[in-house]
Amino acid sequence: MSHSPLRSLPPGNAVAYVGSRTTTARNARGKGIEVFTSDADGHWTHRQRVETYENPSYLVADEAGRFLYSVHGDGSSVSSYRIAATGLLLPWGNQSTQGTNPVHLAISPSGRWLVVVNYASGTIAALPLLDNGRLGVVAGVVALSNLPGPHRTQQRGAHPHQVVFDPTGRWLAVPDKGCDAVHTLTLDDATGALALHATLQCAPMSGPRHLVFDADGRFAWCVLELSSQILTMAFDASQGHFMPLTRHSTLPAEYVHENTGSGIALAPDGHAVHVSNRGHGSVVRFAVDPLNGTISMPSWRFTSGLVPRFIAIDPHHDRLLVANEDADSIVCIPPGDGLPVELASTGSPVCIAFSFFHQGPP
């Protein structure tokens, strides 16, 4: 493992951290975590490469912008990195997740815990975040039901794909691709103990992958990976229960080729939700009625790649960002009818996390 030396950066810019696939088993071309700055005009400049453990495939930064954490897909660990005053990264340690193939992670609202989902082993783990930003050993683990689903290769047991806290911070939502379910969990903030609270069973062979809540936590939208659909759900934050409302295809009616749903992002004003399609090579936009959560008026934008694995709203500019895993590119899709614009060429990108940096010593 190695990392490039810190060097002076201009003040006031945002920093984008790009996670990647790095292994030959994944036919990957990534080399680690790539660090870019984004200037006031939205242009990206490469600043650093951190060659860390294999497949730093999903990233999250703490709210204060002091530390970054990454899972290592297909492995069994998570790493921490200190964010220097320049925004660049210093490797800060590695810890076991006590499971296999960690694919997603979230920081608890208190900032005391890092919660990680282990896709292959069907478990969720909570690791303490120490005062110095390093990770302690796993304090709590919960195993999901390991009953296989109907898909012979993709649903051999529980496969949790994401963990996200609802806006109240009381509940954790976990889409489970392997068991066609969306689970609600609780986290004991004093001990790190995790517990399964409730489960919404979804349509067979639908494969819930990622979800997003609205700002009030009354509704959530979930990508159904295997059926290429989006599920609209109501959420009762007083009870921690999801209720299914509607399902819509994420594909045009005339498209009949292979596809899987992947990323999801909600517009900052809550009036649109976006889903990426791997195979169709597009992002579909649905209009959202904030009063009842219903979606309508789908429209598609192509992404300059067939495998847009990850999408996010740029927190500093009004545009959608897409990580094209197969095309080795990060592109932005501007509002309106503008064509995708490439921001960066980088190997096998699969996640983007953001922070700011301030001028000063590292």
Side-chain angles (χ1 to χ4, degrees), residues 305-338:
L306 292 179
V307 186
R309 182 180 180 88
F310 176 89
I311 59 174
I313 304 297
D314 188 330
H316 317 297
H317 300 87
D318 182 19
R319 58 188 184 177
L320 185 72
L321 301 180
V322 181
N324 285 313
E325 182 180 8
D326 65 324
D328 297 337
S329 66
I330 305 290
V331 303
C332 69
I333 298 179
D337 297 327

Side-chain angles (χ1 to χ4, degrees), residues 206-222:
S206 57
R209 178 183 172 92
H210 278 200
L211 65 77
V212 62
F213 285 96
D214 74 339
D216 296 328
R218 296 182 303 127
F219 303 104
W221 299 269
C222 183

Side-chain angles (χ1 to χ4, degrees), residues 191-256:
T191 66
L194 291 159
L196 179 63
H197 173 76
T199 294
L200 169 67
Q201 204 64 46
C202 301
M205 213 177 301
S206 57
R209 178 183 172 92
H210 278 200
L211 65 77
V212 62
F213 285 96
D214 74 339
D216 296 328
R218 296 182 303 127
F219 303 104
W221 299 269
C222 183
V223 181
L224 303 178
E225 175 180 335
L226 299 179
S227 61
S228 295
Q229 294 176 310
I230 179 172
L231 171 66
T232 302
M233 301 175 290
F235 185 67
D236 182 349
S238 68
Q239 301 296 319
H241 290 169
F242 287 99
M243 181 179 70
L245 297 177
T246 60
R247 281 187 291 158
H248 291 78
S249 175
T250 62
L251 297 168
E254 65 274 13
Y255 185 81
V256 295

Side-chain angles (χ1 to χ4, degrees), residues 164-196:
V164 58
F165 285 86
D166 84 304
T168 71
R170 180 182 177 186
W171 310 105
L172 296 83
V174 176
D176 182 347
K177 172 182 164 183
C179 293
D180 292 320
V182 178
H183 307 289
T184 308
L185 280 69
T186 58
L187 169 69
D188 187 322
D189 199 59
T191 66
L194 291 159
L196 179 63

